[in-house]
């Protein structure tokens, strides 16, 4: 029998199964956004980038049985079959002969292994024919390689578990030391480790339940007495607020000064935490079931564009929860699914980091903070992470009140590549008659898809008192499109495209004005992001804002407020006057968006450009839609004595909203940014437009207003009226800004009316 053709069955290593399937293999995604593979994969899975290309002989020797003990390079050496002469030799311990593959054979099989770790007979024969090897040699090489990879993975996993075990042991010792020096709050004497019995734990839970009952009764009594009932100070020690990180308003300290919710709510008491954990676990189960169920829980709307919750079926399916709907509150529930260009691990990290989350959803989240972290997760990721948070959600208009929520956010991995993040309100722990919104289990189910994509199913389920919404926005908000799942998931999809463009390296160089310098692109996109965040934070009816109505009696009222900018490198110092107004246009949102973002029609509405010609100097595309881009515009003044002005503009659109936001910028500062310099020190005062469908037509909501419905347009300006922060605001400055915004509105109406005609 020729050497290398056959290996007796007794020589096969015992660790390889009969079908040769040892371990598994995970393909690498085609496009990820800066997310490296995690080490906590399920058993039998391995990322190809973790393969060691040159494995030492001693490592390989440990992977084989004694009968298969040999050394290979890159797991590539196989047995050569015993020749006929060897069969006639009576000595049983004669040393076997081995065959060392050539470097070319090793490289080819390594490359094939990355594509297919389990080749079938046909593939093995073809590979053997190309490389000059027998099919059995190819088969055993792949078996050995899989065994090597599995053992490597197990060794890494063992090291991780060992490190985790050491960390837990150290924590345990630290807690024991702390308990050994603790004193009894009643008698002042020492306490013993393990003193808390099961009965005491049960009493704590009972105490928490009674406390909730007292809160509820106190809230009811307060309605009749007319003033809040005195709290019970002895039941819990006061907790100081522990905000970990604020969201979208970083760098503008005045934005944190207001807000009843952020001022009044502290981190939860220790006695509340078991109830919070129990509520979060139940909410997670409810969210996953709601994401997976269809009819009769979710009914298709009449136009077939959305899913509507069957409230009676919901109560039958989920009888527990956070209690019945408060009197006068309305239910808003929606479900949407979308495939986004971001891997699942990156999505989870964004949702569980309050700064990233409020930045990505800056158009919806006006402010947010983490009050307490009950769990950071296990095994180095967010699986099991539990955070108590507050947030304020907005529609970009001063005519729609914001929604303040006090809730717990819980993250859980359900299977390999499947995660869920759920929010649920905690208002029942601290009943407050002023609460106008409750968040039932809401969040998203994230499933891994090939090539770095993820399938996201978003559930939004709230109960709200919406009586403060202006009539202009009633239809949009009551239909669920103002705060619903479609708006969340459309924003996420657009932001994922924006992040993908930030990571892109294959920039086409043919088009004029395209910025190809990678550092310059990143700096300019970062500056534009800060501009958008600043605009969105100052355009809504947030509790941090005190709007003053200047003129008119209808929807065209102009609302103004002032801010003092001091020691903020991102804003010019002095008194900043913000003005905003919202009104309806009988034109589709898409037409309004295209008109406002086009530099050729800018002189029709932009009074500050003084009739000059506007020219686009540079742009960065950041999405599938051509309207999603960042541009640098130059206004060539008609008066030759005036200095030309630069304008940074970002236009973005999705299925639920569109924005055109801009700010004058300094020429010298922009040159620094375009060369990759730090954009944080460029002073910006953004102005712009928020365009929403009016909610009267399904088509207007499906494609950012490509249907027959009208548009809801919010115009907002920020103007520096005095460079001295301590100066007093003059009535003349207010009148000037009022006239500016009124003239801009009239010009837009006139231009679009002519087009519509």
């Amino acid at each position: 029998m020729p050497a290398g053709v056959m290996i007796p069955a007794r020589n096969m290593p015992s660790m390889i199964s009969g079908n040769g399937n040892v371990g598994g293999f995970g393909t690498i995604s085609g496009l990820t956004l800066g997310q490296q593979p995690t080490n906590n994969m399920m058993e039998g899975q391995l990322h190809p980038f973790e393969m060691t290309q040159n494995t030492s002989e001693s490592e390989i020797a440990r992977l084989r049985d004694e009968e298969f003990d040999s050394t290979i390079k890159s797991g590539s050496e196989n047995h050569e079959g015993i020749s006929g002469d060897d069969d006639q030799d009576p000595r049983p311990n004669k040393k076997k002969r081995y065959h060392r593959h050539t470097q070319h054979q090793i490289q080819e099989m390594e490359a094939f292994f990355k594509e297919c770790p389990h080749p079938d007979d046909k593939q093995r024969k073809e590979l053997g024919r190309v490389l000059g090897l027998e099919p059995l040699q190819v088969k055993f090489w792949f078996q050995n390689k899989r065994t090597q990879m599995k053992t490597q993975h197990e060794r890494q996993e063992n090291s991780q578990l060992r490190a985790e075990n050491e960390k837990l042991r150290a924590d345990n010792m630290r807690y024991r030391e702390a308990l050994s020096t603790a004193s009894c709050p009643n008698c002042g004497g020492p306490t013993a480790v393990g003193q808390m019995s099961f009965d005491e734990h049960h009493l704590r839970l009972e105490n928490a339940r009674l406390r909730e009952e007292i809160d509820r009764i106190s809230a009811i009594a307060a309605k009749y007495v007319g003033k809040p009932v005195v709290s019970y100070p002895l039941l819990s020690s006061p907790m100081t607020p522990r905000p970990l990180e604020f969201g979208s308003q970083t760098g503008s300290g005045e934005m944190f000064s207001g807000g009843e919710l952020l001022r009044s709510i502290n981190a939860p008491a220790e006695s509340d935490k078991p109830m919070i954990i129990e509520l979060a676990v139940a909410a997670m189960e409810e969210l996953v079931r709601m994401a997976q169920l269809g009819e009769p829980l979710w009914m298709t709307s009449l136009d077939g564009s959305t899913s509507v919750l069957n409230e009676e079926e919901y109560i039958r399916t989920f009888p527990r929860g956070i209690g019945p709907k408060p009197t006068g509150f309305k239910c808003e529930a929606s479900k949407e699914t979308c495939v986004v260009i971001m891997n699942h691990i990156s999505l989870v990290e964004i949702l569980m980091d309050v700064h990233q989350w409020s930045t990505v959803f800056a158009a919806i989240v006006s402010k947010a903070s983490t009050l307490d972290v009950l769990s950071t997760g296990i095994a180095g990721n967010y699986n099991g992470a539990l955070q108590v948070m507050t947030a304020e959600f907005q529609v970009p208009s001063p005519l729609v009140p914001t929604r303040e929520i006090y809730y717990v956010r819980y993250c859980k991995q359900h299977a390999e590549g499947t995660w869920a993040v759920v929010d649920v309100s905690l208002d029942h722990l601290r009943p407050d008659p002023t609460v106008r919104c409750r968040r039932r289990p809401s969040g998203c189910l994230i499933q891994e898809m090939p090539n770095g994509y993820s399938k996201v199913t978003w559930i939004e389920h709230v109960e709200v008192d919406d009586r403060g919404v202006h009539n202009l926005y009633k239809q949009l908000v009551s239909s669920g499109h103002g705060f619903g799942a479609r708006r969340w998931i459309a924003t996420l999809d657009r932001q994922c495209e924006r992040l993908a463009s930030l990571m892109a390296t294959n920039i086409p160089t043919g088009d004029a004005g395209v910025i190809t310098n990678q550092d310059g692109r990143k700096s300019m996109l970062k500056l534009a992001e800060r501009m958008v965040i600043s605009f969105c934070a100052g355009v809504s009816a947030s509790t941090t804002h005190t709007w003053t109505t200047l003129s008119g009696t209808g929807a065209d009222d102009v609302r103004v407020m002032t801010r003092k900018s001091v020691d903020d490198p991102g804003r010019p110092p002095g008194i900043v006057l913000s003005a905003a107004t919202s009104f309806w246009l009988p034109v589709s949102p898409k037409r309004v968006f295209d008109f406002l973002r086009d530099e050729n029609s800018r002189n029709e509405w932009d009074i500050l450009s003084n009739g000059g010609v506007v020219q686009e100097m540079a742009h960065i595309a950041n999405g599938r839609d051509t309207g999603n881009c960042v541009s640098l515009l130059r206004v060539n003044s008609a008066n030759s004595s005036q200095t030309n002005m630069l304008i940074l503009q970002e236009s973005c659109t999705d299925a639920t909203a569109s924005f055109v936001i801009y700010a004058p910028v300094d020429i010298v500062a922009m040159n620094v940014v375009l060369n990759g310099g730090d954009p944080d020190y460029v002073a910006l005062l953004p102005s712009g437009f928020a365009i929403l469908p009016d909610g009267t037509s399904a088509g207007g909501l499906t494609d950012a207003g490509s249907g027959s419905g009208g548009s809801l347009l919010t115009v907002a300006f920020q103007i520096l009226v005095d460079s001295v922060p301590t100066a007093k605001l003059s009535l003349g400055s207010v009148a000037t800004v009022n006239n500016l915004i009124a003239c801009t509105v009239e010009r837009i109406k006139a231009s679009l009316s002519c087009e519509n005609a």
Side-chain angles (χ1 to χ4, degrees), residues 38 225 342 614 676 715:
T38 57
V225 175
M342 182 178 288
V614 181
V715 182

Side-chain angles (χ1 to χ4, degrees), residues 11 121 300 379 482 516 524 526 641:
N11 287 338
D121 291 339
T300 305
T516 57
M524 188 165 169
K526 186 178 178 182
S641 63

Side-chain angles (χ1 to χ4, degrees), residues 405-422:
I405 313 285
Y406 171 51
Y407 61 98
V408 60
R409 174 165 291 179
Y410 177 40
C411 177
K412 182 180 179 183
Q413 182 179 12
H414 290 270
E416 185 65 25
T418 301
W419 293 71
V421 178
V422 66

Side-chain angles (χ1 to χ4, degrees), residues 319-398:
R320 297 177 61 193
I322 58 176
K325 180 171 64 177
T327 305
F329 279 39
K330 292 183 179 180
C331 173
E332 293 179 9
S334 53
K335 180 174 77 167
E336 289 291 332
T337 300
C338 181
V339 176
V340 299
I341 183 171
M342 182 178 288
N343 68 65
H344 59 296
I345 299 298
S346 295
L347 284 174
V348 170
E349 288 187 348
I350 287 175
L351 294 172
M352 297 306 295
D353 183 292
V354 68
H355 176 69
Q356 293 190 61
W357 173 66
S358 55
T359 297
V360 168
F361 295 102
I364 305 175
V365 182
S366 56
K367 63 174 179 277
S369 67
T370 301
L371 298 178
D372 199 3
V373 176
L374 305 187
S375 171
T376 57
I378 57 174
N381 59 33
Y382 284 107
N383 185 21
L386 203 64
Q387 303 174 0
V388 177
M389 306 174 65
T390 61
E392 186 180 66
F393 302 144
Q394 66 177 358
V395 167
S397 170

Side-chain angles (χ1 to χ4, degrees), residues 200-216 232 235-236 269-276 278 428-431:
E200 184 176 352
H201 181 67
H202 180 73
L203 287 174
R204 283 178 177 267
L205 293 177
E206 182 67 14
N207 180 46
R209 188 189 66 78
L210 293 174
R211 180 177 171 177
E212 179 186 358
E213 186 71 18
I214 292 173
D215 277 335
R216 188 161 53 249
Y232 33 90
L235 289 183
S236 64
E270 288 296 325
S271 56
D272 290 333
K273 291 180 180 179
M275 298 178 62
I276 292 174
E278 182 181 353
H428 63 289
L429 295 180
R430 296 286 187 276

